[in-house]
Structures are given as C-alpha cells and as structure tokens.
Amino acid sequence: MALGHEAVGTVVEAGPQARTVKVGDVVMVSSVAGCGACPGCATRDPVMCFSGLRIFGAGALGGAQADLLAVPAADFQVLNIPDGITTEQALLLTDNLATGWAAAQRADVSPGDRVAVIGLGAVGLCALRSAVIQGAATVFAVDRVAGRLDRAANWGATPVTSPAAEAILAATGGRGADSVIDAVGTDASMADALSAVRPGGTVSVVGVHDLQPFPLPALSCLMRSITLRMTTAPVQRTWPELIPLLASGRLDVDGIFTTTLPLDDAPKGYAIAGSRSGEDVKILLTP
C-alpha cells in the first residue's frame, strides 16, 4: 500500500461527475475524505460523513506518496490551489495547518490568553501560529528537542522543556494555562496537558494516541471543570478561513518544511523524520 495523506498535484483525468475540476488543474486534496453527498458532508467537515471518514494512505483509499492518486467525490475532496498560495502552503492546508487551526479553535483560545502547545512537529508549529492569530498573548512551546524549542522561541513563543506542567504553573502564578493543545497524544503528554491547564480551562488533543486505554484523572477534571476535546481536522471547512490569512501574509507558515526530496528517496526522508532532530521538521516528497 502506498502511504501518504497530504497531496497536491495536477489533474490528469476527471470522472463524469466532477464539476469543479478539470484536466490540467493544479489542486490540493483533503487528507480526510467523505462521501460528499450526505448531510454530514454538507457541513464541509468530512469527519461528519454519514458513511464514516476515510483517510488517504489507509484502508480502501490509495496513498499520496505515488505518481498517481485516485480521488473519489472530487468536488468535495479537491480544491484548485488559489492564486497567491504556494505549494508548501497548499500541502499544509491538506492536513497539518487545518489540524493546528482546528486545535486552537477547539481550545477556546480568546484574546489575551496564555496557551501551551505540547509537541513542536509540523502540527504543533501550525497550532502555535494559529493560537497567536486567534488571540493568544503568550504561547508556551513544549518539546524535548532543543532545536525545536529554539525554532519556536524565534517565532516569539516561550520555550518549555517537557514535562511542562510545573514550569507553566510557576510562570502563571500557580494558575495554569488558559488552554493547552496536545499535538503529541501520548499518555505522558495528555497527563501533562491536564496538569498544566487552569481550572475552567480547555485541553484540545489532536495528537494520535496509541489506542491503549488512557488513565483519565476524571475526578480532578470534574473538580476543576476542565473541558477536554479531541479532534480530527475538519479540513475542507478550514479552507475559507485559512486561505485568505495565508494569501494576505497575516498567517506565516514559512520554515515548517525543512527538507525536499524526490519520491525515490522517501526512505531517507523517513529516516530524517524518525531522527526527531531540531533541524528537520517536515519533509516534502516530489514525484
């Protein structure tokens, strides 16, 4: 099976039901697919599809790390890349930026808030910048990799080595962050997030958990009135908000792609990603 769920490309063939794209169009493809015809998909959120969401590169759908990709329900899944949007920006719009944006929205970020982002990979860095655009006054950027902490600090965040709860509580006079975004999704990161958030605050989890039971501290969450949300990105629904912000320059995602390789060198790209170095964040593969 070909892997990959983030893709931009040129349309080489269009089925008879495709109305919004034609051969030769340069498009981006939502990483999360829906049927495109049900009331759930009418919300522009593929997660709400009555038939259940599907993800490219997993299960029945082919992967994007290939020369050709078949896209069902193209009118729903695909968007012509608008003028002023770069290839790198379009790729981030297919998943990482949409996920980071939704993570900040679901974290109830308000102007002046203190927000913590746990995990400074591509999604975490997108969430960091999204939180700032949505009004965060202070962003605690949490990771174990020094280079990634430095990168976040260069973008105006306050770097904190994980686990971060103790440092965040100290920096906020014992109160905690108004919102915490967990872009890792391990037991350790989720426990850290729940410990670092203030009473009445919100924890927004977009990191993918390992499917093992998580020991939720339910009594503590109840007594502190914590809101916990877990989100798969409503990719298509974010596009009308994010595209103008990117095109205007108000939202900057430069520096998230750090390496470009030909598709034939994908194993090298996976090794780079697996090293979790401070110099490398996200790899772009070019068929």
Side-chain angles (χ1 to χ4, degrees):
M1 178 187 293
L3 300 176
H5 56 271
E6 300 164 306
V8 301
T10 302
V11 177
V12 295
E13 183 179 343
Q17 296 181 342
R19 300 182 301 275
T20 62
V21 293
K22 63 184 185 302
V23 173
D25 286 348
V26 181
V27 300
M28 55 189 183
V29 184
S30 169
S31 58
V32 185
C35 72
C38 69
C41 288
T43 69
R44 303 300 296 166
D45 182 355
V47 178
M48 300 300 149
C49 180
F50 283 22
S51 300
L53 68 87
R54 294 185 291 170
I55 299 174
F56 288 96
L61 295 182
Q65 293 174 17
D67 296 308
L68 294 170
L69 178 67
V71 180
D75 290 345
F76 181 64
Q77 254 73 253
V78 163
L79 182 70
N80 283 278
I81 298 178
D83 293 337
I85 299 298
T86 67
T87 295
E88 290 79 6
Q89 290 172 332
L91 274 170
L92 292 174
L93 284 166
T94 68
D95 181 5
N96 288 172
L97 181 55
T99 300
W101 183 257
Q105 287 183 320
R106 300 267 287 170
D108 298 325
V109 176
S110 297
D113 276 357
R114 293 175 289 195
V115 178
V117 176
I118 300 176
L120 302 177
V123 170
L125 292 175
C126 286
L128 186 159
R129 294 192 173 186
S130 296
V132 171
I133 286 289
Q134 292 178 34
T138 301
V139 178
F140 300 103
V142 182
D143 206 289
R144 295 179 178 177
V145 179
R148 296 191 175 192
L149 291 169
D150 292 341
R151 187 183 299 272
N154 290 335
W155 292 348
T158 301
V160 181
T161 301
S162 60
E166 184 176 346
I168 290 172
L169 290 170
T172 57
R175 181 72 172 162
D178 299 292
S179 305
V180 181
I181 297 168
D182 180 4
V184 181
T186 62
D187 283 6
S189 65
M190 290 171 64
D192 202 22
L194 291 168
S195 297
V197 72
R198 66 165 173 80
T202 301
V203 172
S204 174
V205 180
V206 289
V208 180
H209 197 257
D210 64 4
L211 303 181
Q212 298 302 312
F214 170 64
L216 177 71
L219 180 60
S220 172
C221 291
L222 183 144
M223 297 301 294
R224 296 167 59 227
S225 296
I226 303 303
T227 297
L228 172 63
R229 294 194 176 106
M230 309 183 80
T231 304
T232 298
V235 178
Q236 292 90 322
R237 198 171 71 197
T238 69
W239 288 344
E241 298 172 320
L242 289 171
I243 289 170
L245 289 171
L246 290 169
S248 68
R250 286 197 61 213
L251 178 57
D252 178 15
V253 291
D254 289 347
I256 292 177
F257 280 101
T258 52
T259 307
T260 299
L261 296 170
L263 183 60
D264 288 347
D265 287 345
K268 179 181 178 181
Y270 276 96
I272 292 171
S275 72
R276 298 291 193 270
S277 76
E279 293 73 33
D280 300 291
V281 178
K282 190 167 180 65
I283 292 90
L284 186 154
L285 298 177
T286 304

Short mmCIF file of all heavy atoms in Angstrom, two decimals, residues 84-122:
data_model
loop_
_atom_site.label_atom_id
_atom_site.label_comp_id
_atom_site.label_asym_id
_atom_site.label_seq_id
_atom_site.Cartn_x
_atom_site.Cartn_y
_atom_site.Cartn_z
N GLY A 84 -1.67 33.01 -5.23
CA GLY A 84 -1.04 33.51 -4.02
C GLY A 84 -0.74 32.45 -2.99
O GLY A 84 -0.17 32.76 -1.93
N ILE A 85 -1.13 31.21 -3.25
CA ILE A 85 -0.86 30.11 -2.32
C ILE A 85 0.25 29.24 -2.91
O ILE A 85 0.14 28.75 -4.03
CB ILE A 85 -2.13 29.26 -2.07
CG1 ILE A 85 -3.22 30.12 -1.44
CG2 ILE A 85 -1.81 28.07 -1.18
CD1 ILE A 85 -2.87 30.69 -0.08
N THR A 86 1.33 29.04 -2.15
CA THR A 86 2.46 28.26 -2.63
C THR A 86 2.18 26.76 -2.48
O THR A 86 1.24 26.34 -1.80
CB THR A 86 3.73 28.60 -1.83
OG1 THR A 86 3.56 28.15 -0.46
CG2 THR A 86 4.00 30.09 -1.84
N THR A 87 3.02 25.97 -3.11
CA THR A 87 2.91 24.52 -2.98
C THR A 87 3.01 24.09 -1.52
O THR A 87 2.23 23.24 -1.05
CB THR A 87 4.01 23.82 -3.80
OG1 THR A 87 3.80 24.10 -5.18
CG2 THR A 87 3.99 22.31 -3.58
N GLU A 88 3.97 24.66 -0.79
CA GLU A 88 4.14 24.29 0.61
C GLU A 88 2.92 24.67 1.43
O GLU A 88 2.47 23.90 2.29
CB GLU A 88 5.40 24.96 1.17
CG GLU A 88 6.71 24.42 0.63
CD GLU A 88 7.05 24.99 -0.75
OE1 GLU A 88 6.31 25.89 -1.23
OE2 GLU A 88 8.04 24.51 -1.35
N GLN A 89 2.37 25.85 1.21
CA GLN A 89 1.17 26.26 1.94
C GLN A 89 0.00 25.35 1.60
O GLN A 89 -0.76 24.95 2.49
CB GLN A 89 0.82 27.71 1.60
CG GLN A 89 1.79 28.74 2.16
CD GLN A 89 1.51 30.13 1.63
OE1 GLN A 89 1.00 30.32 0.52
NE2 GLN A 89 1.88 31.14 2.41
N ALA A 90 -0.14 25.00 0.33
CA ALA A 90 -1.24 24.12 -0.08
C ALA A 90 -1.12 22.75 0.58
O ALA A 90 -2.12 22.17 1.03
CB ALA A 90 -1.26 23.99 -1.60
N LEU A 91 0.09 22.22 0.66
CA LEU A 91 0.29 20.93 1.32
C LEU A 91 -0.11 21.00 2.79
O LEU A 91 -0.74 20.09 3.32
CB LEU A 91 1.74 20.48 1.18
CG LEU A 91 2.09 19.72 -0.10
CD1 LEU A 91 3.59 19.56 -0.21
CD2 LEU A 91 1.41 18.35 -0.11
N LEU A 92 0.26 22.08 3.46
CA LEU A 92 -0.13 22.23 4.86
C LEU A 92 -1.64 22.36 5.01
O LEU A 92 -2.22 21.93 6.01
CB LEU A 92 0.58 23.43 5.47
CG LEU A 92 2.10 23.28 5.64
CD1 LEU A 92 2.71 24.60 6.12
CD2 LEU A 92 2.43 22.16 6.61
N LEU A 93 -2.30 22.95 4.02
CA LEU A 93 -3.75 23.09 4.06
C LEU A 93 -4.47 21.74 3.93
O LEU A 93 -5.63 21.63 4.30
CB LEU A 93 -4.23 24.02 2.94
CG LEU A 93 -4.01 25.52 3.17
CD1 LEU A 93 -4.19 26.28 1.87
CD2 LEU A 93 -4.96 26.05 4.24
N THR A 94 -3.78 20.72 3.42
CA THR A 94 -4.43 19.42 3.28
C THR A 94 -4.54 18.67 4.60
O THR A 94 -5.30 17.71 4.72
CB THR A 94 -3.68 18.52 2.27
OG1 THR A 94 -2.39 18.17 2.80
CG2 THR A 94 -3.52 19.21 0.93
N ASP A 95 -3.75 19.11 5.62
CA ASP A 95 -3.82 18.41 6.91
C ASP A 95 -3.24 19.24 8.05
O ASP A 95 -3.96 19.72 8.92
CB ASP A 95 -3.10 17.07 6.84
CG ASP A 95 -3.16 16.28 8.15
OD1 ASP A 95 -3.84 16.73 9.08
OD2 ASP A 95 -2.52 15.23 8.26
N ASN A 96 -1.91 19.43 8.06
CA ASN A 96 -1.24 19.95 9.26
C ASN A 96 -1.75 21.30 9.71
O ASN A 96 -2.01 21.52 10.90
CB ASN A 96 0.27 20.01 9.03
CG ASN A 96 0.94 18.66 8.99
OD1 ASN A 96 2.11 18.56 8.66
ND2 ASN A 96 0.21 17.59 9.29
N LEU A 97 -1.88 22.24 8.78
CA LEU A 97 -2.35 23.57 9.16
C LEU A 97 -3.83 23.52 9.53
O LEU A 97 -4.25 24.17 10.51
CB LEU A 97 -2.11 24.57 8.03
CG LEU A 97 -2.55 26.01 8.32
CD1 LEU A 97 -1.91 26.55 9.59
CD2 LEU A 97 -2.24 26.92 7.13
N ALA A 98 -4.61 22.76 8.79
CA ALA A 98 -6.03 22.61 9.13
C ALA A 98 -6.18 22.00 10.52
O ALA A 98 -7.05 22.41 11.31
CB ALA A 98 -6.73 21.74 8.09
N THR A 99 -5.32 21.03 10.84
CA THR A 99 -5.37 20.40 12.16
C THR A 99 -4.96 21.38 13.26
O THR A 99 -5.61 21.48 14.30
CB THR A 99 -4.46 19.17 12.19
OG1 THR A 99 -4.90 18.23 11.19
CG2 THR A 99 -4.49 18.49 13.55
N GLY A 100 -3.87 22.10 13.03
CA GLY A 100 -3.42 23.07 14.02
C GLY A 100 -4.42 24.19 14.24
O GLY A 100 -4.63 24.64 15.38
N TRP A 101 -5.04 24.64 13.17
CA TRP A 101 -6.06 25.70 13.26
C TRP A 101 -7.28 25.20 14.05
O TRP A 101 -7.75 25.89 14.96
CB TRP A 101 -6.47 26.12 11.85
CG TRP A 101 -7.45 27.25 11.79
CD1 TRP A 101 -8.79 27.16 11.54
CD2 TRP A 101 -7.19 28.64 11.97
NE1 TRP A 101 -9.38 28.40 11.55
CE2 TRP A 101 -8.42 29.33 11.81
CE3 TRP A 101 -6.04 29.38 12.26
CZ2 TRP A 101 -8.52 30.73 11.93
CZ3 TRP A 101 -6.13 30.76 12.36
CH2 TRP A 101 -7.36 31.41 12.21
N ALA A 102 -7.74 24.01 13.71
CA ALA A 102 -8.88 23.45 14.44
C ALA A 102 -8.53 23.19 15.90
O ALA A 102 -9.36 23.37 16.79
CB ALA A 102 -9.35 22.16 13.76
N ALA A 103 -7.29 22.78 16.16
CA ALA A 103 -6.86 22.54 17.54
C ALA A 103 -6.97 23.81 18.36
O ALA A 103 -7.43 23.79 19.51
CB ALA A 103 -5.43 22.03 17.56
N ALA A 104 -6.55 24.94 17.80
CA ALA A 104 -6.63 26.21 18.52
C ALA A 104 -8.08 26.65 18.69
O ALA A 104 -8.47 27.15 19.75
CB ALA A 104 -5.83 27.28 17.78
N GLN A 105 -8.90 26.46 17.65
CA GLN A 105 -10.32 26.81 17.77
C GLN A 105 -10.99 25.98 18.86
O GLN A 105 -11.74 26.50 19.69
CB GLN A 105 -11.03 26.61 16.44
CG GLN A 105 -10.69 27.64 15.39
CD GLN A 105 -11.47 27.45 14.10
OE1 GLN A 105 -11.68 26.31 13.66
NE2 GLN A 105 -11.90 28.53 13.49
N ARG A 106 -10.70 24.70 18.87
CA ARG A 106 -11.33 23.81 19.85
C ARG A 106 -10.75 23.99 21.25
O ARG A 106 -11.32 23.51 22.23
CB ARG A 106 -11.16 22.36 19.39
CG ARG A 106 -11.79 22.05 18.03
CD ARG A 106 -13.18 21.54 18.16
NE ARG A 106 -13.19 20.19 18.66
CZ ARG A 106 -14.30 19.55 19.07
NH1 ARG A 106 -15.46 20.18 19.03
NH2 ARG A 106 -14.25 18.31 19.52
N ALA A 107 -9.64 24.71 21.34
CA ALA A 107 -9.05 25.02 22.64
C ALA A 107 -9.67 26.26 23.26
O ALA A 107 -9.25 26.67 24.35
CB ALA A 107 -7.54 25.20 22.51
N ASP A 108 -10.63 26.88 22.58
CA ASP A 108 -11.32 28.06 23.12
C ASP A 108 -10.35 29.21 23.36
O ASP A 108 -10.45 29.94 24.36
CB ASP A 108 -12.06 27.73 24.42
CG ASP A 108 -13.15 26.68 24.23
OD1 ASP A 108 -13.78 26.67 23.17
OD2 ASP A 108 -13.35 25.86 25.15
N VAL A 109 -9.40 29.41 22.45
CA VAL A 109 -8.44 30.50 22.60
C VAL A 109 -9.16 31.85 22.47
O VAL A 109 -9.90 32.07 21.51
CB VAL A 109 -7.31 30.39 21.56
CG1 VAL A 109 -6.37 31.58 21.66
CG2 VAL A 109 -6.54 29.09 21.75
N SER A 110 -8.93 32.72 23.42
CA SER A 110 -9.52 34.06 23.41
C SER A 110 -8.41 35.09 23.44
O SER A 110 -7.29 34.81 23.90
CB SER A 110 -10.44 34.26 24.61
OG SER A 110 -11.54 33.37 24.58
N PRO A 111 -8.68 36.33 23.00
CA PRO A 111 -7.65 37.37 23.02
C PRO A 111 -7.07 37.56 24.42
O PRO A 111 -7.79 37.65 25.41
CB PRO A 111 -8.41 38.62 22.56
CG PRO A 111 -9.49 38.09 21.68
CD PRO A 111 -9.91 36.80 22.33
N GLY A 112 -5.73 37.58 24.48
CA GLY A 112 -5.03 37.77 25.74
C GLY A 112 -4.71 36.51 26.50
O GLY A 112 -4.05 36.56 27.54
N ASP A 113 -5.15 35.36 25.99
CA ASP A 113 -4.95 34.10 26.71
C ASP A 113 -3.49 33.66 26.74
O ASP A 113 -2.68 34.04 25.89
CB ASP A 113 -5.78 32.98 26.06
CG ASP A 113 -7.21 32.95 26.55
OD1 ASP A 113 -7.55 33.75 27.43
OD2 ASP A 113 -7.98 32.11 26.04
N ARG A 114 -3.21 32.81 27.74
CA ARG A 114 -1.95 32.10 27.81
C ARG A 114 -2.21 30.66 27.38
O ARG A 114 -3.02 29.96 28.00
CB ARG A 114 -1.38 32.16 29.23
CG ARG A 114 -0.97 33.57 29.63
CD ARG A 114 -0.51 33.68 31.06
NE ARG A 114 -1.60 33.53 32.01
CZ ARG A 114 -1.54 33.87 33.29
NH1 ARG A 114 -0.41 34.39 33.76
NH2 ARG A 114 -2.55 33.70 34.09
N VAL A 115 -1.54 30.25 26.32
CA VAL A 115 -1.80 28.96 25.68
C VAL A 115 -0.52 28.14 25.68
O VAL A 115 0.58 28.67 25.43
CB VAL A 115 -2.30 29.15 24.23
CG1 VAL A 115 -2.51 27.81 23.54
CG2 VAL A 115 -3.60 29.97 24.22
N ALA A 116 -0.63 26.86 25.94
CA ALA A 116 0.51 25.95 25.84
C ALA A 116 0.29 25.01 24.66
O ALA A 116 -0.82 24.52 24.45
CB ALA A 116 0.67 25.15 27.12
N VAL A 117 1.34 24.78 23.89
CA VAL A 117 1.31 23.82 22.79
C VAL A 117 2.35 22.75 23.08
O VAL A 117 3.55 23.06 23.17
CB VAL A 117 1.59 24.49 21.43
CG1 VAL A 117 1.64 23.44 20.32
CG2 VAL A 117 0.54 25.55 21.12
N ILE A 118 1.91 21.51 23.24
CA ILE A 118 2.80 20.40 23.54
C ILE A 118 3.12 19.64 22.25
O ILE A 118 2.21 19.12 21.60
CB ILE A 118 2.17 19.46 24.58
CG1 ILE A 118 1.89 20.21 25.89
CG2 ILE A 118 3.09 18.26 24.84
CD1 ILE A 118 1.17 19.37 26.94
N GLY A 119 4.39 19.60 21.89
CA GLY A 119 4.82 18.92 20.67
C GLY A 119 5.03 19.92 19.56
O GLY A 119 4.07 20.56 19.11
N LEU A 120 6.27 20.05 19.10
CA LEU A 120 6.61 21.08 18.11
C LEU A 120 7.02 20.47 16.77
O LEU A 120 7.95 20.93 16.12
CB LEU A 120 7.72 21.98 18.66
CG LEU A 120 7.39 22.69 19.98
CD1 LEU A 120 8.58 23.50 20.46
CD2 LEU A 120 6.15 23.56 19.83
N GLY A 121 6.29 19.42 16.37
CA GLY A 121 6.38 18.97 15.00
C GLY A 121 5.58 19.91 14.11
O GLY A 121 5.20 21.01 14.51
N ALA A 122 5.28 19.46 12.89
CA ALA A 122 4.57 20.33 11.95
C ALA A 122 3.21 20.75 12.48
O ALA A 122 2.81 21.92 12.39
CB ALA A 122 4.43 19.63 10.60
#
